[in-house]
Amino acid sequence: MVRTQVAIVGAGPAGLLLGQLLHKEGIDTLLLERRSADYVAGRIRAGVLEPGTVSVLEKAGVAARLHAEGLVHGGVEIGFRGHRHRIDLQALTGRSVTVYGQTEVTRDLMDARAASGAPSVYEAEDVTLLEVTGPAPTVRYRHEGKVHEVACDFIAGCDGFHGVSRRTIPSASLSVYERVYPFGWLGVLADIPPPWEELIYANSDQGFALASMRSTTRVRCYVQCPLEDHIDQWSDERFWTEFRRRLGGEVAARVPDAPSIEKSIAPLRSFVAEPLKYGRLFLAGDAAHIVPPTGAKGLNLAASDVFYLSEALRDFYRASGAGQSGGEAERALDGYSVRALRRIWRAERFSWWMTRQLHQFPGDAFDGKLQHTELEYLFDSRAAQVSMAENYVGLPL
Ligand code: FAD
Ligand code: DHB
């Protein structure tokens, strides 16, 4: 049987970043991932980093390329009724966001892990968590046809929404809060220079659209679509026609029918399972919570969770190494869930609010009036803009 201090399940941004932060603290980890390394590296997802996330990536020693290639944006725009309203993040909060794809963050973290020599097992099948409430948990998995077991002090469940970690916890020990939205996002990636300077979140009568980017030569664009839609129904031409219509104005006129290099539909969900600790198992990132993508918070929350978890584990090992009582060391661990959940719920609130204000919802004319009133208030009130901006750039860690 192999031994490690922390077994990390899942090599998404949460698992990879936790591994790197713990490595900096001299704590050993073994990383187990169900998919292949190529699959993990190729997944197209989020694109906006809060300054707090950038600081955590700096702390983990993986921010050199991010600083060289990331695009710093001091504002975002909201499109509504033919006008674009700029929210000046820099003037309102003194902070900016960085556009740098999750794909790139993942690549930087995978390279750093390989360079550190910390072990990773990709294509680990049937990962099973055993004895998680006892003092000596074990992780069992199958790799290349053989069954392996890892003895560890702790397990970090960083295996996303569909992973095994949250499902290991008996339902009586978890409280689950959930909201499912009646639409999805159709996303397209295309290699054209962005015809817009900053991200545009557009509320239109035809539904939401988001004009984003990954670099000075690559755009990422989304439109709200029915949940039942399949990507086969969305030719590139249909996508761009709809996108231009929702974006409107002179920017739309500059958007060509670019060939897509990736196209996918994602459902929207708000979800929190708490607490984040069960015995010696911790949940972090999408394993514990999901936000609808509208506030660009999913990846950023994964980063803040694992930052808090790395500090809790560091404090545990320091306290137990210094010969302090078991109680002292355990207290360091107990604080993780409370600290992370405070920030998670604030991001849940903000993502729900952004989603609510920008999409077409079926139903009630009263709700529609309130949505338009809320947006007009935002455009007119500096106080409302400060509130949006401080949440968009991210609340302090
Ligand atoms: P994940 O990235 O999901 O990583 C979990 C890892 O665990 C995966 O590699 C998975 O293969 C592995 N795993 C799962 N089960 C097991 C198992 N049993 N054993 C071992 N390994 C396992 N956020 C935004 O802010 N903007 C966006 O545009 C955006 N788009 C998204 C699109 C999609 C389709 C999805 C799913 C998410 C999107 N998100 C977006 C959210 C953001 O990407 C996530 O919040 C972020 O990836 C969370 O990181 P994570 O490491 O917690 O989870
Ligand atoms: C992107 C995704 C988001 O959900 C968002 O709010 C901003 C940008 C993106 O993929 O670029």
Side-chain angles (χ1 to χ4, degrees), residues 161-178:
F161 186 65
H162 300 288
V164 67
S165 299
R166 194 181 64 254
R167 279 187 280 119
T168 302
I169 304 174
S171 53
S173 299
L174 270 188
S175 298
V176 169
Y177 304 87
E178 185 167 28

Side-chain angles (χ1 to χ4, degrees), residues 52-115:
T53 302
V54 172
S55 306
V56 177
L57 293 167
E58 282 166 354
K59 193 166 188 294
V62 290
R65 202 162 65 90
L66 148 67
H67 284 307
E69 296 176 18
L71 307 173
V72 176
H73 282 197
V76 289
E77 295 189 337
I78 298 190
F80 183 56
R81 297 197 160 147
H83 294 283
R84 280 151 53 209
H85 302 264
R86 183 164 188 266
I87 307 295
D88 190 333
L89 303 171
Q90 182 61 43
L92 293 161
T93 68
R95 302 198 295 159
S96 302
V97 293
T98 303
V99 173
Y100 190 68
Q102 181 168 331
T103 324
E104 308 310 315
V105 174
T106 304
R107 203 172 106 199
D108 295 341
L109 285 164
M110 287 172 95
D111 289 350
R113 187 163 181 94

Side-chain angles (χ1 to χ4, degrees), residues 45-48 185 199 201 210 212-214 220 222 293-296:
R45 287 182 174 177
V48 176
W185 274 22
L199 271 59
Y201 292 82
L210 169 58
S212 181
M213 62 186 78
R214 285 289 177 277
R220 177 70 165 163
Y222 300 90
T294 327

Side-chain angles (χ1 to χ4, degrees), residues 4-21:
T4 190
Q5 289 175 295
V6 182
I8 301 176
V9 186
L16 285 164
L17 181 54
L18 178 66
Q20 208 51 33
L21 291 167

Side-chain angles (χ1 to χ4, degrees), residues 78-394:
I78 298 190
F80 183 56
R81 297 197 160 147
H83 294 283
R84 280 151 53 209
H85 302 264
R86 183 164 188 266
I87 307 295
D88 190 333
L89 303 171
Q90 182 61 43
L92 293 161
T93 68
R95 302 198 295 159
S96 302
V97 293
T98 303
V99 173
Y100 190 68
Q102 181 168 331
T103 324
E104 308 310 315
V105 174
T106 304
R107 203 172 106 199
D108 295 341
L109 285 164
M110 287 172 95
D111 289 350
R113 187 163 181 94
S116 76
S120 311
V121 180
Y122 285 88
E123 299 178 80
E125 297 170 79
D126 299 334
V127 171
T128 311
L129 317 185
L130 303 165
E131 305 293 338
V132 298
T133 53
T138 304
V139 183
R140 184 183 296 152
Y141 65 96
R142 207 155 41 82
H143 183 59
E144 294 175 344
K146 284 206 200 107
V147 175
H148 302 258
E149 287 200 352
V150 188
C152 55
D153 300 330
F154 300 103
I155 301 170
C158 300
D159 47 353
F161 186 65
H162 300 288
V164 67
S165 299
R166 194 181 64 254
R167 279 187 280 119
T168 302
I169 304 174
S171 53
S173 299
L174 270 188
S175 298
V176 169
Y177 304 87
E178 185 167 28
R179 175 138 313 172
V180 177
Y181 299 86
F183 40 74
W185 274 22
L186 167 65
V188 159
L189 195 66
D191 275 335
I192 50 163
W196 42 85
E197 287 79 48
E198 294 174 332
L199 271 59
I200 307 170
Y201 292 82
N203 172 320
S204 85
D205 292 343
Q206 294 81 34
F208 171 73
L210 169 58
S212 181
M213 62 186 78
R214 285 289 177 277
S215 68
T216 52
T217 56
R218 182 170 283 186
V219 295
R220 177 70 165 163
C221 302
Y222 300 90
V223 294
Q224 171 184 353
C225 70
L227 267 178
E228 313 74 52
D229 275 15
H230 190 270
I231 47 167
D232 295 346
Q233 295 164 259
W234 286 89
S235 65
D236 290 350
E237 193 194 353
R238 180 177 172 208
F239 176 84
W240 291 116
T241 303
E242 193 56 36
F243 179 76
R244 280 191 289 262
R245 182 150 49 151
R246 296 184 189 189
L247 206 56
E250 28 88 34
V251 199
R254 287 189 259 132
V255 179
D257 272 355
S260 64
I261 51 175
E262 198 264 357
K263 196 186 278 166
S264 52
I265 294 180
L268 270 69
R269 182 193 299 270
S270 299
F271 175 93
V272 181
E274 58 178 67
L276 309 182
K277 177 177 183 290
Y278 178 69
R280 303 223 128 195
L281 166 64
F282 297 94
L283 301 179
D286 278 16
H289 46 75
I290 298 288
V291 286
T294 327
K297 292 288 165 234
L299 170 59
N300 291 293
L301 270 188
S304 55
D305 283 2
V306 298
F307 171 67
Y308 295 145
L309 183 53
S310 70
E311 289 202 330
L313 291 167
R314 176 201 65 193
D315 293 348
F316 171 87
Y317 283 113
R318 277 189 193 161
S320 45
Q324 288 173 4
S325 72
E328 196 73 36
E330 294 295 329
R331 256 193 299 284
L333 303 173
D334 288 337
Y336 161 64
S337 184
V338 175
R339 197 176 173 206
L341 280 165
R342 192 177 309 127
R343 196 165 193 281
I344 290 163
W345 273 110
R346 290 183 182 198
E348 290 285 345
R349 184 201 72 82
F350 178 65
S351 305
W352 165 84
W353 179 84
M354 284 276 282
T355 304
R356 192 80 202 94
Q357 305 324 325
L358 293 170
H359 293 76
Q360 288 299 320
F361 280 78
D364 194 291
F366 185 81
D367 286 347
K369 281 284 190 189
L370 283 185
Q371 185 195 63
H372 293 177
T373 304
E374 183 87 21
L375 286 175
E376 280 159 7
Y377 174 61
L378 174 68
F379 305 143
D380 289 346
S381 160
R382 190 174 191 281
Q385 289 174 23
V386 170
S387 172
M388 179 188 153
E390 71 174 7
N391 281 278
Y392 192 83
V393 300

